[in-house]
Amino acid sequence: MADNIARVFADAIATNPTRPLLTWYDDATGERTELSGATLANWVAKTANLLVDELALSPGDAAGVSLPPHWQTAGVLLGCWSAGLTVTDVPGDVDVLFAAAARVAEADAWSAGDRYVLALDPFALPMRQVPAGFADYVSEVRAHGDHFTPYASGGEELVARARRRADELGIAPGDRVLVDVARHPDPIDWLLAPLTAGATIVLCANLDPARLTARAATEKATHTLT
């Protein structure tokens, strides 16, 4: 397989699939969610299978992603890239759209064949009321298989960008990187740069500066992006 995003992700979890790969904090809600590599891989595979098996999308098709940094966003992005889709956050014509519930009102700017809404619930619970014109991502994705064979190409340019960005940010192999997503909202920074460098990730939304030192110690962070 080429040096693409699917290979980078596979390499990130190969050594120890059970270790924490992505830990999510939201200081506004008190949420903490920890995902092992195996657990995140499960969400990625289910997402890719949804795209390929249910929507019959093919490499080169376009996915719109109107989502903030979040652990579920990581699953969506990696699933799209595993399926060979191009991903954009710029409104326009796409084959499928993934939108946060808080951004549904902005969805009219997109033209999409299929639309999925994400509540970004702390426990990944299904939505009680799904907006008209959307399907609930959590409900739909769980029906799909836990394994997916990624396409052999796609995302090579993104990997190259992520490697350059990891160097710029000083991320080293084996690091545990604590990221303030308000300051680093680009998935190149909060997701791909750490993965390409062989690092694990602690994502923090609405980061309370008073908690930073204790959190870095608790999570054994070796590098901070704040």
Side-chain angles (χ1 to χ4, degrees):
M1 183 180 293
D3 188 19
N4 62 9
I5 294 172
R7 172 50 58 194
V8 164
F9 181 56
D11 289 346
I13 65 177
T15 302
N16 185 359
T18 63
R19 71 169 177 166
L21 180 66
L22 191 157
T23 304
W24 165 259
Y25 283 90
D26 186 339
D27 286 347
T29 63
E31 178 188 356
R32 179 184 184 277
T33 300
E34 185 171 276
L35 286 81
S36 67
T39 300
L40 182 55
N42 183 265
W43 283 89
V44 171
K46 286 179 176 294
T47 302
N49 282 317
L50 166 70
L51 295 167
V52 174
D53 294 342
E54 183 164 325
L55 304 186
L57 297 182
S58 303
D61 287 339
V65 176
S66 182
L67 297 168
H70 191 273
W71 67 264
Q72 289 183 37
T73 304
V76 168
L77 289 170
L78 291 167
C80 289
W81 288 321
S82 291
L85 273 59
T86 59
V87 175
T88 181
D89 61 359
V90 179
D93 294 339
V94 292
D95 298 286
V96 59
L97 173 66
F98 296 92
R103 299 181 179 180
V104 164
E106 305 167 14
D108 287 344
W110 297 83
S111 175
D114 295 277
R115 298 175 178 228
Y116 293 89
V117 62
L118 285 79
L120 303 179
D121 182 87
F123 300 103
L125 297 175
M127 294 186 72
R128 293 185 178 180
Q129 292 185 318
V130 180
F134 284 83
D136 177 30
Y137 166 77
V138 166
S139 298
E140 298 294 326
V141 81
R142 283 185 166 149
H144 291 273
D146 297 341
H147 301 283
F148 180 82
T149 301
Y151 289 98
S153 62
E156 290 85 357
E157 181 181 348
L158 283 174
V159 171
R161 286 175 53 197
R163 292 196 192 284
R164 291 194 297 270
R165 189 61 175 149
D167 288 340
E168 293 169 0
L169 295 171
I171 304 172
D175 270 343
R176 184 151 175 79
V177 185
L178 189 152
V179 184
D180 179 354
V181 298
R183 299 183 71 105
H184 294 275
D186 189 331
I188 291 287
D189 284 7
W190 65 260
L191 180 62
L192 291 183
L195 289 180
T196 57
T200 61
I201 309 164
V202 181
L203 295 181
C204 301
N206 302 300
L207 179 62
D208 180 354
R211 300 182 183 182
L212 177 59
T213 299
R215 178 162 305 153
T218 297
E219 294 293 341
K220 297 181 173 60
T222 60
H223 192 65
T224 58
L225 301 177
T226 58

